[in-house]
Each structure stands twice: as C-alpha cells, then as structure tokens.
Amino acid sequence: MLGTAWDYQDHPREFLAKLDALEERGVTVCNPSKVVRWNSEKRYLRALEQSGAATVPTLWLDDAGQGDIVAAMSRFGTDRVVVKRQVGAGGLGQFSFSRDNLPAQDWTMGRPCMVQPFLPSILEEGEYTFVFIDGEFSHGVSKRAGPGDYRIQSLYGGYETDFTPSQADLAGAEAIVAALPFDDLLYCRIDMARLPSGELAVMEAEAIEPYLYPEQGPGLGARLAKAILARL
Ligand SMILES: Nc1ncnc2c1ncn2[C@@H]1O[C@H](COP(=O)(O)OP(=O)(O)O)[C@@H](O)[C@H]1O
Ligand SMILES: [Mg+2]
C-alpha cells in the first residue's frame, strides 16, 4: 500500500517507475500503478468530463500569463478565477486572480496549468469529500476554509467536520466513481464542490494516496482491512 507519497509531484517518474518495478516482481500494489499513473496528472478530469461526469468548467493551457487570465474571465463570464498546476497537490503553486487583482504583466505560471471560474460555494459551504473503499461509499467529510482564505486545506487554516450527504449528493459522487476508467480501486476519495446550478461537480478524484479522514469515518479501518484481505 502506498504510504505518505505526498511529494510524488516533485519526482513523478521515479515514483511511477518504482511502482511498476514492484508490480513486475508480482507484488500487489494498491492502488495499482496504472491507476496512479492515470491519477498523477489532473488531465484525468478532462477524460471524466468527456465521459459525462459533472466537472468544474476548465481551460487547459500549456502555460498562462496575464492575457490568458483576462481571456479566461471573459470566457467564463466571471470576475474571479483559480489557476492551478496540472500536476499538483495540497494547493501548492495555486493562484486566485480577480479583475481588480490581476497578475503582473510579466507573470507566468511557467508550466502546464488549468484555469477555472472561482466557485463562490467554496466560501459559502466549502468542499465535500466522499471516501470509497472497494467502490462502496464509506463516509463523508465537510471541509471549510478558515478566515481569509478559500483553500480548505488545514495548511491554510481549513477544518473538517462529519458530513452525511443527501441522497442526491451521494448519487453525484457515486456517478464519478462509476465514470472512473478502472473498477479495481482499493480506495479513492472524491472531492466535490457545488456549481451555481446546485449540482456537485468533481474537484478531484484522488486515488494515489489520499488522506482518508479516519476521524470522520470510524468504520474506515475495518472496511479497509476487509478490502485488503480480499486482495491477498
Ligand atoms: N474553481 C475553484 N473555485 C474555488 N476554489 C477552488 C477552485 N479550485 C480549487 N479551489 C480551492 O483550492 C483548493 C485546492 O484545489 P484542488 O483542485 O483541490 O487542488 P489540490 O488539492 O490538488 O492542490 C480546493 O480544495 C479549494 O478550496
Ligand atoms: Mg484538493
């Protein structure tokens, strides 16, 4: 099982080569290396969108500068956007720009990135996590940003509470799991945020080594143990 691989984005090739080498030796790796490879670039969200999943509208760019940010605002009909790395985690290297707070003329992302309209729901109700073990919903988590930030990660003052999803919201998360191009995931975490339409959209489908929020899911350990045993 992958453990604390939270700097893989800095060494993606070595990380994936190691997983492949383990599988070649006949070691069962969870999640499998093919899943990790697919999940290590956020472009998988594009594939999910193409298969009909509810996603956040996104522009995929090889790089971005001030002109791209202004163009994205016009394209989305919004005054605020978020720019993030296509390979990234933990909110690192992410920016939020508004019409009265544009990047400097000479600013560039300097890498492949994605631009999205800023979802006001992140500030109003936060983000939701749905943890799945062996394809079955285990537990939900509500994640809110702390004062003065929009990122829900604890690194920026965010905090988590228990969350029991409505039937409609759970169905939204289950639809994302169903849209994944794999059916052998030991665990995955579907992070979702609400679109202005009221529907939840996938922000990330984390299948590498996501934090699975055991505090909010007391049954997690037993569920995971059972799913691991079934693979041995
Ligand atoms: N389009 C968006 N609108 C508002 N907030 C966003 C948007 N995209 C990301 N965020 C905020 O930034 C955080 C980190 O973005 P995310 O896409 O989850 O990347 P990662 O966690 O891999 O760094 C989210 O949890 C959310 O709080
Ligand atoms: Mg995230």
Side-chain angles (χ1 to χ4, degrees):
M1 271 192 68
L2 274 61
T4 54
W6 295 334
D7 60 353
Y8 74 88
Q9 69 275 13
D10 298 329
H11 314 275
R13 256 183 254 130
E14 294 97 311
F15 176 54
L16 291 165
K18 176 77 184 175
L19 299 185
D20 286 341
L22 283 170
E23 284 182 341
E24 273 158 28
R25 276 170 40 204
V27 177
T28 303
V29 177
C30 294
N31 278 325
S33 153
K34 64 178 194 300
V35 174
V36 172
R37 185 175 298 280
W38 174 84
N39 202 218
S40 63
E41 292 195 18
K42 289 212 164 105
R43 250 176 302 201
Y44 70 80
L45 287 167
R46 226 172 162 176
L48 288 181
E49 181 181 22
Q50 279 158 6
S51 65
T55 52
V56 182
T58 305
L59 279 178
W60 300 88
L61 303 173
D62 290 333
D63 198 352
Q66 193 195 59
D68 301 298
I69 299 302
V70 173
M73 287 175 181
S74 303
R75 166 87 177 266
F76 293 133
T78 182
D79 290 336
R80 189 171 176 188
V81 295
V82 172
V83 194
K84 40 194 170 183
R85 299 175 177 189
Q86 288 186 19
V87 179
L92 289 175
Q94 180 177 305
F95 298 88
S96 165
F97 295 118
S98 52
R99 285 204 197 265
D100 53 14
N101 174 34
L102 289 175
Q105 198 115 40
D106 61 354
W107 172 87
T108 60
M109 255 320 250
R111 65 184 74 229
C113 56
M114 46 199 288
V115 190
Q116 298 181 335
F118 183 88
L119 298 175
S121 64
I122 287 285
L123 298 175
E124 290 152 11
E125 58 177 304
E127 186 176 297
Y128 301 106
T129 268
F130 298 77
V131 175
F132 288 83
I133 303 300
D134 238 350
E136 294 284 328
F137 176 63
S138 169
H139 58 285
V141 187
S142 154
K143 308 196 281 188
R144 306 286 308 260
D149 210 298
Y150 68 97
R151 291 165 298 188
I152 50 74
Q153 282 92 345
S154 52
L155 189 62
Y156 311 105
Y159 59 97
E160 296 94 34
T161 50
D162 292 5
F163 166 61
T164 304
S166 69
Q167 245 173 18
D169 286 351
L170 179 57
E174 284 171 341
I176 303 300
V177 173
L180 299 177
F182 307 100
D183 56 8
D184 53 353
L185 272 66
L186 174 64
Y187 50 82
C188 75
R189 195 183 91 196
I190 308 296
D191 290 344
M192 302 189 85
R194 206 169 299 282
L195 298 172
S197 66
E199 184 184 19
L200 284 185
V202 60
M203 177 76 82
E204 287 190 272
E206 289 268 13
I208 297 184
E209 201 249 347
Y211 187 65
L212 296 177
Y213 297 98
E215 296 91 337
Q216 283 77 27
L220 174 69
R223 270 180 213 121
L224 203 48
K226 197 170 151 219
I228 292 168
L229 272 178
R231 278 168 172 74
L232 295 179

